[in-house]
Amino acid sequence: MNLPRRFWCHIDTSVETLPDNQIVETSEDAVHWVRESVRGVFLSFDRRVFHRTWGWLGDHRAMDAGVISLQGGRPYEFAVKVQMGSWLWSAHPVRVLPLATPCGSPASTSSSRPPIASEAS
């Protein structure tokens, strides 16, 4: 059985608790999720990290490379170290097991703890 491919998007940080995970259907959506999540916090970074992040956000070739990476089965990541800790945004290709709910219809795949089986890189 060939399980459908989806993309698990996740933030890891030592700075604050952000239970922000999501399963999206396309590699383009995954890259968009990562970049929008970075945009949501980068204004609080110190000057050096802010400028590095601003440059990364403005690099549209990096977006295309991220989509290609995910489509090729490799993760897409962006990481920064700030004075108080670190941030890592990532999207990984995963296979989603469609589980049935008590009513018999497939469960939604957008929960914060998705039922996934990670693909080997």
Side-chain angles (χ1 to χ4, degrees):
M1 180 172 146
N2 193 7
L3 297 174
R5 177 182 275 188
R6 298 293 186 261
F7 301 89
W8 181 47
C9 304
H10 179 72
I11 299 173
D12 283 318
T13 180
S14 62
V15 177
E16 56 185 271
T17 304
L18 291 174
D20 196 6
N21 303 309
Q22 186 173 4
I23 294 282
V24 298
E25 291 194 19
T26 69
S27 54
E28 292 85 359
D29 289 342
V31 168
H32 179 76
W33 184 93
V34 168
R35 295 174 70 80
E36 287 302 311
S37 295
V38 170
R39 277 189 190 97
V41 298
F42 89 105
L43 293 174
S44 65
F45 294 163
D46 64 52
R47 176 179 228 147
R48 179 188 53 82
V49 177
F50 172 88
H51 286 294
R52 176 177 171 247
T53 305
W54 181 261
W56 178 80
L57 287 169
D59 184 358
H60 297 287
R61 291 175 301 184
M63 289 178 8
D64 295 337
V67 168
I68 291 167
S69 181
L70 287 166
Q71 289 172 345
R74 294 175 306 279
Y76 174 65
E77 298 179 338
F78 180 71
V80 295
K81 290 192 183 225
V82 294
Q83 193 170 17
M84 300 298 290
S86 62
W87 291 81
L88 171 66
W89 292 266
S90 61
H92 300 269
V94 294
R95 296 290 181 185
V96 179
L97 181 60
L99 299 176
T101 65
C103 296
S105 61
S108 170
T109 59
S110 62
S111 68
S112 63
R113 297 267 181 201
I116 58 174
S118 182
E119 290 187 62
S121 302

